[in-house]
Amino acid sequence: LLLELSDDDVKRHFQAGHICGDAHDLIDGQPTGSVRISVGYMTQKSNLDAVLNMLEQCYVRKRISPPERSKIVQDYKIDRPQGGGIWLREICIYPIKSAAAFKITTQWPLTSRGLKLDREWVIVTANGVALTQKSEPRLCMLRPVIDLKRKIMLLSFPDVEKVLEISYPEDRTTAKTATLCQTKVCGDRIEGFDYGDEVSAWLSDALDTPGLRLLRQNHAVKRTFRNGETKEISLANQAQYLMVNRTSVRWLTEKVEDWEDQQYSEAAVVDRFRANLVIETEASLVENDWTKLKIGECASKPK
């Protein structure tokens, strides 16, 4: 009653993969649940103060006086020279969506969908919902290694002795359909191929979650988005190529005091952006003015 959800809404949420206790707070813009705070005879005022402080900090909008423009210019003035060196430092692919990167420092083939094998696989739960770091942060420790010549992918995970070897031949069978979740809203449909019980058992044991399955995207079927549009794209959220500038990340870390206190390394912060192309320039934020990026004979336009 509080959420004003109809019976059809509840059924639709269930079909989208929502179950009690999961991390899907919103589906199609509608809240899927509420939070209850119980107060008993042992509740102390400090407990209620903590709840009120959390609500105030996270959910209450406050009017904040903007700083003087001169101070903004002084603190964030950026020199953007027209020329300067540009270096491609790394190429990163993420064979399994939301898992760790496989980093390349030489060269890598391209396809019509982007970098070869980038975001080609996805791990889904027993309900067919795509697993991401939002619900399972340990995915970042699942490390793939690609051997193009042998057409195999090796998967390793901390404290798991066995390294899983997965072949990826071109002939694929056993099609299944999974729901791809983005920003807590399930909707995009992708068709993939299940890699079987042995892979499922290894993933379920590594991530301590029963019923996990590994699917590989079916290239014969274009991906269908929630708005009905179909695109020839991998399991990336929006675009085939994501780029980050090390120099700009360095500039950003100097502005975020919390990161300095935590003593995050520059490489660790760069990895958080999960970019495919890691570049470095002489000046920070120059990429904001770019209209085209050309590496060798390959050119693309930023979105």
Side-chain angles (χ1 to χ4, degrees):
L1 295 178
L2 176 65
L3 299 175
E4 298 182 351
L5 296 176
S6 66
D7 292 343
D8 291 337
D9 290 332
V10 175
K11 291 179 181 178
R12 183 166 48 82
H13 292 176
F14 179 76
Q15 291 172 353
H18 171 58
I19 59 174
C20 182
D22 64 18
H24 304 308
D25 301 333
L26 292 173
I27 294 181
D28 293 336
Q30 288 183 303
T32 59
S34 58
V35 178
R36 181 186 67 190
I37 299 175
S38 300
V39 179
Y41 75 95
M42 295 184 65
T43 303
Q44 300 180 4
K45 182 178 181 297
S46 59
N47 302 134
L48 299 178
D49 288 340
V51 173
L52 293 175
N53 288 335
M54 180 273 294
L55 293 175
E56 183 179 10
Q57 292 178 12
C58 300
Y59 297 101
V60 177
R61 292 184 178 179
K62 300 179 181 179
R63 295 184 62 87
I64 301 176
S65 300
E68 298 179 3
R69 180 173 178 80
S70 59
K71 187 177 187 304
I72 296 177
V73 174
Q74 180 180 357
D75 290 347
Y76 297 99
K77 185 177 180 181
I78 303 167
D79 295 326
R80 296 185 179 179
Q82 297 298 320
I86 303 174
W87 300 271
L88 176 63
R89 296 304 191 189
E90 281 182 339
I91 299 174
C92 302
I93 65 169
Y94 305 84
I96 299 178
K97 183 174 176 63
S98 288
F102 174 58
K103 298 184 177 182
I104 304 113
T105 55
T106 53
Q107 59 184 3
W108 196 257
L110 298 176
T111 70
S112 59
R113 296 171 179 262
L115 291 164
K116 185 177 179 65
L117 301 180
D118 181 45
R119 295 171 174 90
E120 182 92 356
W121 288 268
V122 60
I123 299 173
V124 299
T125 65
N127 295 319
V129 178
L131 197 65
T132 68
Q133 288 189 30
K134 294 178 182 178
S135 58
E136 181 47 85
R138 291 178 298 173
L139 273 175
C140 67
M141 297 188 291
L142 181 62
R143 298 200 170 276
V145 174
I146 298 293
D147 188 330
L148 286 177
K149 292 183 179 180
R150 298 170 58 196
K151 292 187 177 181
I152 62 171
M153 175 172 63
L154 302 175
L155 291 182
S156 62
F157 193 83
D159 299 327
V160 175
E161 184 176 350
K162 179 183 177 181
V163 175
L164 186 65
E165 181 176 314
I166 299 174
S167 61
Y168 53 91
E170 295 304 322
D171 55 325
R172 309 170 191 176
T173 56
T174 318
K176 281 193 175 183
T177 300
T179 300
L180 182 62
C181 300
Q182 298 178 4
T183 62
K184 297 185 180 180
V185 179
C186 299
D188 294 357
R189 307 295 298 185
I190 62 103
E191 185 177 283
F193 298 92
D194 194 305
Y195 266 68
D197 294 338
E198 181 181 355
V199 175
S200 172
W202 189 93
L203 290 172
S204 298
D205 179 62
L207 295 170
D208 195 24
T209 303
L212 297 180
R213 312 292 298 188
L214 181 66
L215 302 184
R216 186 183 183 190
Q217 188 180 21
N218 181 7
H219 289 183
V221 179
K222 291 185 178 181
R223 180 168 152 194
T224 303
F225 289 80
R226 292 179 60 246
N227 59 6
E229 184 181 4
T230 58
K231 290 183 180 180
E232 190 176 1
I233 188 174
S234 69
L235 301 180
N237 286 357
Q238 289 184 333
Q240 289 94 333
Y241 306 102
L242 305 176
M243 186 192 74
V244 69
N245 185 353
R246 277 186 182 176
T247 311
S248 299
V249 171
R250 197 175 302 127
W251 172 88
L252 178 63
T253 54
E254 294 173 355
K255 307 300 179 184
V256 182
E257 296 179 357
D258 291 345
W259 288 357
E260 292 182 355
D261 295 340
Q262 296 293 333
Q263 297 182 344
Y264 291 126
S265 67
E266 178 183 312
V269 178
V270 169
D271 287 345
R272 288 187 171 202
F273 286 89
R274 298 181 64 80
N276 296 118
L277 306 175
V278 180
I279 66 168
E280 189 168 6
T281 60
E282 292 183 356
S284 60
L285 303 184
V286 292
E287 65 274 14
N288 289 346
D289 297 327
W290 293 353
T291 57
K292 181 189 292 186
L293 176 66
K294 184 176 182 181
I295 302 175
E297 298 302 320
C298 300
S300 63
K301 294 182 179 180
K303 289 189 175 182

